[in-house]
Amino acid sequence: MASPAPSSANMARVILPADLHAFSSLPTAASPSAPSSPPARQVVQLPAGDGGEPRGLFKSALLCAASTACAAGGIRRSRCRRLAGERRAQAIARQARGGFEEFKPGCAVDLASESFERFARMRCGAGEGSESQVFWYCAGQLHARPGGEVLALVEGFDASLALSVSDEKMIQLSRKIFFFRDPLTNQVMTHFDGKPVRPIQYDYQVIEYSRTPNGQILPSVVQGTGAQRRVVPCMPITTQCVTPEQLLFHVPLFVDADIPGRGRYQAWEFYDFSLDSAGDRSSYLTWVRQGACPPFASDPLGAVMHLTGRRFESFEELPESIRKLILPDDGPGEYELYQAPPLDLSEVERLQRQKAH
């Protein structure tokens, strides 16, 4: 379950510069309607540590220098894009004259009211029809720490769909699989230092996303089979404007749990989803993880995995290198289940009763 909201008694007050707006995922001293012009300053309350300073994830509060004209609403997307282009042209002209002004990103959407819908549609096709499925393909490397040696290449994908969607909540069904490849030969690895290597496999995941009154997106994850079925505690998803057209959704995950049959499991992960709000480019993803990764690294500090990828709308669109691992040329193989997300909760319940991999 998500952690309770911090009490006002343990909050630090932070004064923001005049040209920055804290978006609504942060608890604010007041919540007026969107102003027509930037205020001289804005007071934001952030969870405080023992010394009164902002702590944890909130210390680096994700701030968005909002484009006032666009954020005030009522302006067409094309005009927002034109205004953004004009700002870039002005910045380039200033650079050409020898002067440089720090770029202050603006936002072409109202994050408080639209980020949930945009995230839901991007992440698993919510609102695109009951048959809509989304595939997030990623590839990268697994590194030893602290030296950084490449232990394996990593390739795989997540397949998902939106089971149900409302204004305040979405339930996503998904499964994912990631293979380890030899960094020299690119062949799928079956052994490392004499120990068997298996793909990272989740036959199913049920993820519930809830929109909170202050604009945060709170996920809750159920995964695992048999005695290893569990609920994974999650942190809020936050949204950041990078440019007037580009939104980043930051999805942090910190795990410290005892899993039956596996023992203590500790890891942290960051998923950053990038959405082109103008719709001109495909959404993409970066994923960083540190934790145990047997047989490559079994200690709690483990290994570091860094992957990048993009969004596809069908299994057939995925790169051939991964499709052939799921559906080999000689017929259905061991992993054919992964060519589509779970169909419904009945399938999930059946999978939960199976023995763990």
Side-chain angles (χ1 to χ4, degrees), residues 30-53:
S31 301
S33 58
S36 58
S37 61
R41 69 178 186 174
Q42 183 175 5
V43 179
V44 175
Q45 292 180 310
L46 305 179
D50 296 336
E53 75 285 357

Side-chain angles (χ1 to χ4, degrees), residues 107-307:
C107 187
V109 298
D110 180 349
L111 291 177
S113 65
E114 295 189 29
S115 61
F116 184 84
E117 291 84 355
R118 288 173 179 265
F119 176 80
R121 185 178 299 111
M122 174 202 67
R123 179 63 182 87
C124 59
E128 296 180 354
S130 59
E131 302 300 320
S132 178
Q133 299 180 359
V134 172
F135 294 77
W136 288 91
Y137 168 83
C138 290
Q141 298 175 327
L142 180 70
H143 297 267
R145 58 164 310 280
E149 172 193 358
V150 177
L151 300 172
L153 306 179
V154 186
E155 181 186 26
F157 64 94
D158 168 292
S160 60
L161 60 78
L163 180 65
S164 65
V165 185
S166 69
D167 291 342
E168 307 299 328
K169 186 175 293 187
M170 176 183 73
I171 297 177
Q172 168 190 311
L173 301 184
S174 63
R175 55 176 138 245
K176 62 182 180 181
I177 185 167
F178 286 83
F179 295 88
F180 297 100
R181 293 182 178 272
D182 188 287
L184 298 179
T185 67
N186 202 40
Q187 297 299 308
V188 173
M189 300 177 70
T190 58
H191 289 81
F192 179 82
D193 283 349
K195 299 178 181 178
V197 173
R198 293 284 301 172
I200 300 171
Q201 292 176 253
Y202 289 90
D203 290 351
Y204 83 91
Q205 287 186 311
V206 180
I207 307 178
E208 180 181 283
Y209 302 97
S210 299
R211 190 217 309 258
T212 67
N214 65 358
Q216 290 181 327
I217 303 172
L218 287 178
S220 176
V221 180
V222 176
Q223 61 182 212
T225 59
Q228 294 185 7
R229 185 173 59 182
R230 57 199 176 272
V231 176
V232 180
C234 299
M235 299 177 71
I237 297 171
T238 52
T239 312
Q240 181 182 17
C241 290
V242 179
T243 72
E245 295 89 7
Q246 184 184 13
L247 296 180
L248 283 183
F249 295 93
H250 302 279
V251 186
L253 179 64
F254 290 81
V255 181
D256 183 6
D258 288 309
I259 300 177
R262 292 178 56 180
R264 192 64 170 268
Y265 175 71
Q266 296 175 318
W268 61 258
E269 303 181 9
F270 279 94
Y271 300 82
D272 285 337
F273 294 88
S274 177
L275 169 67
D276 176 14
S277 58
D280 294 334
R281 290 168 294 188
S282 175
S283 297
Y284 63 87
L285 163 69
T286 63
W287 174 21
V288 180
R289 176 191 184 275
Q290 180 178 338
C293 188
F296 302 98
S298 299
D299 63 283
L301 293 178
V304 176
M305 188 164 63
H306 179 218
L307 291 84

